[in-house]
Amino acid sequence: MEASESRTIAILAEKPSVAQDIARVLGANTRGKGYLQGNGYVVTWAIGHLVSLAQPHEIKPEWRQWRFDQLPILPTEWPLVVYEKTKDQFEVVRKILTSGRVSRIVCATDAGREGELIFRYIYEAAGCRKPVSRLWISSLTSDAIRNGLDKLRPGSEYDRLADAASGRSRADWLVGMNLSRAYSIVYNEELSVGRVQTPTLAMIVDREIALRKFVPEDYIEVVATFEGRENANKESYQGTWFRPEARLGNDKDAPPNASRLPADGEEANRIVLRGRTGKAAIESLSSETKRMQPPLLYDLTELQRHGNRLFGFSAQQTLDLAQALYERHKLISYPRTDSRHLSADVAATAPGIVASISTGYKAQLAAGTGTAP
């Protein structure tokens, strides 16, 4: 991608770290307040969301009052407002986007629905009308950035994605504003209702209620140790008695746990006596060889689950570590994903990632890692 000598191309990234990676590839090394420039480019950034949908009272003053007769609130227009805490950076971005020296804009926010929404809101709030190209990359290696810049697409190709993002944003607004007010009025206290937060909270509450209602019960399990005749030390096996019918699901009246017996010990003692007077024999023996597919790659949820189980990390700690490995060290692909597969362009970065980490882990790498699909 080459910039015109007389006009400047503005690139808007979602985060400062991404902007720095792009600027380094382009040779835009002169730092300004809230941007980097050089070589015919000016690279600036959002800090997540700089712009949001207006609050009800910012649309109509009479909507400031929480009254049942005003519900539902259904705007006919959706004005945007700038977040107070990041207004300084928005002003930097606005001046760059509307500068007479800037001929066109490159949207370099994250490749996804939310990234598209962040750019579109800023672009609209800034009053910009200049042509837009889209940088669509899921890796921040230098090669990935260069390839992406060489294959910029017209911004109009992502209008449907922007429509979906805008629809989701407005739906969240309608649910949150209307239901929060409705529940607050009914219960006479300030309550917050959200499309995502409320069902998530409901799952936590349901689980907490189940835990509080749990009544511990004493039970007995009968365990026997079986030893082989030829080599008792190597051929021992510990088995737990269970109801075969319950294990197979044939006995509807059987307790849900097939091995648990009443705490009074009567039934357990009868089973022990039968076991001691009887003779143990192997009724059948079968074996088979199975080929298992390797596990799928991590998505963010699975990574956070394993981070917690193995190291006690919180979900946020795991995300912060993964983000650092991705942005700063270039050792993993984009972590904020719910997909357990790689797209073709991201898969192409795998050999570079493997080469980066292989020095200290050669013994742990299978043959062909980074080269075989």
Side-chain angles (χ1 to χ4, degrees):
M1 176 181 176
E2 297 181 357
S4 168
E5 294 183 0
S6 58
R7 306 302 295 275
T8 300
I9 296 174
I11 300 179
L12 175 59
E14 189 167 324
K15 295 180 282 290
S17 58
V18 177
Q20 291 166 8
D21 288 335
I22 295 172
R24 184 172 59 253
V25 170
L26 293 172
N29 300 319
T30 303
R31 180 174 291 276
K33 187 177 181 181
Y35 65 91
L36 294 156
Q37 66 177 348
N39 203 24
Y41 297 93
V42 56
V43 185
T44 187
W45 53 84
I47 309 172
H49 287 268
L50 300 181
V51 178
S52 69
L53 294 174
Q55 295 292 307
H57 68 272
E58 294 171 313
I59 302 174
K60 286 186 179 182
E62 58 266 31
W63 283 346
R64 183 181 293 274
Q65 297 181 345
W66 289 34
R67 289 167 37 191
F68 224 105
D69 59 359
Q70 291 182 343
L71 298 179
I73 296 172
L74 301 173
T76 56
E77 296 182 354
W78 298 87
L80 300 172
V81 294
V82 177
Y83 280 114
E84 184 66 25
K85 63 181 179 181
T86 53
K87 65 179 182 180
D88 291 343
Q89 183 60 22
F90 172 79
E91 192 58 24
V92 170
V93 174
R94 186 193 66 78
K95 288 180 178 179
I96 291 172
L97 296 186
T98 58
S99 170
R101 291 178 295 176
V102 171
S103 59
R104 61 192 180 98
I105 315 296
V106 174
C107 168
T109 50
D110 288 354
R113 185 179 65 181
E114 200 65 17
E116 194 68 23
L117 183 71
I118 288 172
F119 174 80
R120 299 290 179 124
Y121 274 3
I122 294 172
Y123 183 84
E124 181 181 340
C128 187
R129 298 293 180 268
K130 295 174 183 176
V132 175
S133 299
R134 186 56 158 109
L135 173 65
W136 190 271
I137 55 175
S138 298
S139 173
L140 291 175
T141 63
S142 296
D143 287 342
I145 293 171
R146 289 192 191 95
N147 291 336
L149 290 170
D150 287 337
K151 299 175 181 177
L152 292 175
R153 307 297 302 170
S156 58
E157 291 189 7
Y158 298 87
D159 284 348
R160 290 185 177 181
L161 180 64
D163 290 341
S166 178
R168 193 275 310 155
S169 178
R170 294 180 183 184
D172 282 356
W173 192 100
L174 290 169
V175 169
M177 297 301 175
N178 284 289
L179 293 185
S180 293
R181 293 185 178 211
Y183 277 87
S184 297
I185 293 168
V186 169
Y187 291 100
N188 196 30
E189 61 178 301
E190 188 171 335
L191 299 172
S192 175
V193 179
R195 177 182 62 89
V196 175
Q197 73 176 30
T198 301
T200 303
L201 180 60
M203 289 190 289
I204 296 172
V205 170
D206 288 344
R207 182 60 178 161
E208 178 65 22
I209 291 173
L211 291 174
R212 290 183 181 184
K213 287 183 176 180
F214 174 75
V215 178
E217 294 181 359
D218 293 334
Y219 63 90
I220 293 177
E221 288 186 338
V222 177
V223 178
T225 300
F226 300 90
E227 295 179 349
R229 291 174 178 170
E230 296 181 5
N231 191 331
N233 293 330
K234 292 185 179 181
E235 296 175 349
S236 65
Y237 162 73
Q238 194 172 71
T240 302
W241 178 91
F242 64 90
R243 293 181 178 85
E245 298 82 4
R247 194 68 170 262
L248 296 172
N250 298 329
D251 186 354
K252 295 181 180 180
D253 297 325
N257 194 310
S259 63
R260 294 183 181 181
L261 298 165
D264 59 20
E266 292 184 9
E267 186 177 0
N269 287 331
R270 290 197 297 269
I271 294 170
V272 170
L273 290 173
R274 290 203 305 270
R276 285 175 173 167
T277 57
K279 182 179 179 181
I282 298 172
E283 292 185 350
S284 65
L285 180 66
S286 63
S287 65
E288 60 179 316
T289 301
K290 288 186 176 181
R291 291 180 60 86
M292 295 178 62
Q293 292 292 330
L296 293 175
L297 302 174
Y298 281 112
D299 58 11
L300 179 57
T301 301
E302 195 68 13
L303 184 65
Q304 289 170 323
R305 185 179 293 121
H306 277 194
N308 179 262
R309 181 172 62 83
L310 297 174
F311 307 110
F313 294 156
S314 68
Q316 188 61 49
Q317 282 179 296
T318 300
L319 176 57
D320 291 343
L321 291 168
Q323 198 71 26
L325 290 170
Y326 167 64
E327 291 183 356
R328 190 158 66 248
H329 303 292
K330 318 300 182 193
L331 293 180
I332 64 173
S333 57
Y334 181 65
R336 293 174 178 264
T337 175
D338 56 5
S339 172
R340 301 191 69 177
H341 301 81
L342 294 179
S343 59
D345 60 322
V346 176
T349 69
I353 292 175
V354 172
S356 298
I357 67 172
S358 61
T359 304
Y361 299 95
K362 287 188 180 299
Q364 281 78 32
L365 294 178
T369 300
T371 57

